[in-house]
Amino acid sequence: MRVMVTGGLGFIGSHLVRWILNHQPEVEVINVDSLTYAGNPENLADVKDNPRYRWRRISVSDSLALNTLLDESPVDAIMNLAAESHVDRSIQSGVPFMETNVLGTQVLLEAARSHGVKRFLQVSTDEVYGSLGPDGLFSETSPLAPNSPYSASKASADLLTLAAFHTYRQDIIVTRCSNNYGPYQFPEKLIPLFVTNGLEQKPWPLYGDGLNVRDWLHVEDHVRALWMVLQSGSPGEVYNIGGNNEHTNREIAHALADLMGLPYSIIVPVADRLGHDRRYAIDANKIRRELGWQPEVSWSQGLQDTVAWYRDHRGWWERIKSGTYLQYYRNQYGVL
Ligand code: NAD
Ligand code: DAU
């Protein structure tokens, strides 16, 4: 079996590629990643010479390049993770989000259809459901009500994917996951930003009152779920994926400070994110019931291991934060 993973040089995509190569010895992986600021060949340095792995530097919105690749190397399935993924960047400008997240998904769907790809998995997010009050959970049938340019672009991609099932009976599935954490997460997101700032004795910018709530899941639990859905999910269906693990941002800041032996005075309240969604919480009963998936990494162990990983991989994040990682790509991997 050969699988195309898009966005495989990013945070979740690199975990997914490594997981497939390690756990599915019959599967070949083609990684389609255009290497934006968020992609990093170093994330997959340990598998780059694996004969079952290849990376092609192609944008998912480049129809000609994608179709040529699929002509040369047919695949059985596409798992679409390529995206502009950071809400704060989408508030600055939504244009790249539309190009990759919306146009790119449509280009991939059409390429998959014309090449007879047996299954297309669209990796989406709980943010498409919008914001919750203090109670309740998002189920797969909750209405889509995205609030940021990022989440609106992801909701559009979900609708295009579901429309392909309705119109053409194309075999597609959509997954919607809550906030991921773990190694290799780009240090502009909450947990890696705070941990790396803590290691540099820099302040932690906590937006607004710090009481926004997210449901956190370890990235390894997410990629295992994605493989289960690809293998055993039903066509045309949506599967929520979540950790049943809600925390306010302030609780996370306190937990990280405790783990790192830092005073709470490192936390500095700053202006709130525009349109900041108050609470996300996922009902993941469907994937548990139908596919037997459940999270395996406990929050306390996962957070402790994540802090240790950033402490032990200083070069990885220092190159990113200083901006010298682009030069490093060129020297190490001959790209850019
Ligand atoms: P990321 O920003 O770390 O990585 C994105 C990857 O996509 C990068 O390697 C980048 O180079 C690549 N990419 C961007 N534009 C591209 C294009 N036009 N063509 C090809 N490659 C391109 O993102 P992530 O956090 O790993 O998220 C992966 C996916 O999972 C996204 O679709 C995101 O919406 C979804 N998701 C993320 C989370 C989370 O907490 N991080 C939760 C739920 C869902
Ligand atoms: O819910 C899934 C989503 O989770 C994914 O679809 C997105 O791709 C992913 O980036 C993530 O989005 P969030 O906006 O929830 O993640 P972020 O790490 O940017 O922020 C998490 C919370 O922390 C949010 O309430 C904003 C807050 N925050 C974030 C940063 C970067 C701060 O208070 N300070 C910060 O500096």
Side-chain angles (χ1 to χ4, degrees), residues 224 228 286-294:
R224 231 177 5 89
M228 281 175 123
K286 179 173 171 179
I287 187 172
R288 286 171 184 259
R289 196 179 56 245
E290 289 187 13
L291 306 185
W293 173 87
Q294 58 176 8

XYZ file of all heavy atoms in Angstrom, residues 224 228 286-294:
102
model
N -2.451 7.992 15.826
C -2.995 6.618 15.904
C -4.462 6.621 15.486
O -4.932 5.736 14.764
C -2.869 6.120 17.348
C -2.219 4.778 17.512
C -2.030 4.339 18.949
N -2.572 5.153 19.981
C -3.808 5.052 20.477
N -4.631 4.128 20.030
N -4.224 5.867 21.436
N -6.394 4.653 12.314
C -7.586 3.806 12.538
C -8.745 4.254 11.658
O -9.466 3.438 11.081
C -8.027 3.884 13.995
C -7.204 3.029 14.922
S -7.733 3.326 16.619
C -8.157 1.693 17.109
N -18.041 8.738 19.294
C -18.254 7.968 18.053
C -17.006 7.149 17.684
O -17.106 5.955 17.405
C -18.603 8.941 16.922
C -18.821 8.282 15.579
C -19.333 9.310 14.575
C -19.365 8.767 13.176
N -19.885 9.766 12.215
N -15.845 7.789 17.710
C -14.624 7.046 17.342
C -14.301 5.988 18.407
O -13.805 4.897 18.098
C -13.430 8.000 17.075
C -12.242 7.211 16.532
C -13.016 8.796 18.290
C -11.089 8.080 16.065
N -14.633 6.286 19.654
C -14.402 5.291 20.718
C -15.300 4.078 20.495
O -14.851 2.925 20.555
C -14.720 5.897 22.092
C -13.693 6.892 22.606
C -14.230 7.572 23.861
N -13.342 8.605 24.361
C -12.506 8.469 25.385
N -12.426 7.330 26.038
N -11.740 9.461 25.782
N -16.565 4.355 20.235
C -17.566 3.286 20.110
C -17.360 2.481 18.820
O -17.297 1.258 18.835
C -18.949 3.957 20.088
C -20.137 3.079 20.330
C -21.440 3.871 20.314
N -21.657 4.628 19.091
C -21.697 5.953 19.022
N -21.523 6.690 20.101
N -21.895 6.559 17.862
N -17.202 3.201 17.694
C -17.173 2.494 16.400
C -15.815 1.887 16.090
O -15.737 0.837 15.471
C -17.561 3.456 15.268
C -19.026 3.828 15.305
C -19.449 4.643 14.082
O -18.690 4.714 13.100
O -20.559 5.207 14.145
N -14.723 2.556 16.482
C -13.402 2.087 16.079
C -12.544 1.616 17.256
O -11.444 1.114 17.062
C -12.657 3.179 15.296
C -13.401 3.762 14.078
C -12.506 4.741 13.329
C -13.879 2.671 13.128
N -13.054 1.790 18.472
C -12.319 1.305 19.645
C -11.095 2.130 19.992
O -10.217 1.678 20.723
N -11.029 3.376 19.483
C -9.890 4.245 19.813
C -10.087 4.895 21.178
O -11.228 5.195 21.557
C -9.757 5.347 18.755
C -8.725 6.389 19.110
C -7.397 6.345 18.837
C -8.949 7.628 19.802
N -6.765 7.476 19.334
C -7.707 8.278 19.938
C -10.079 8.242 20.353
C -7.560 9.510 20.570
C -9.935 9.476 20.988
C -8.678 10.095 21.090
N -9.004 5.067 21.899
C -9.044 5.945 23.067
C -7.642 6.492 23.325
O -6.651 5.887 22.926
C -9.581 5.235 24.303
C -8.812 4.015 24.689
C -9.338 3.410 25.985
O -10.363 3.825 26.502
N -8.616 2.442 26.504
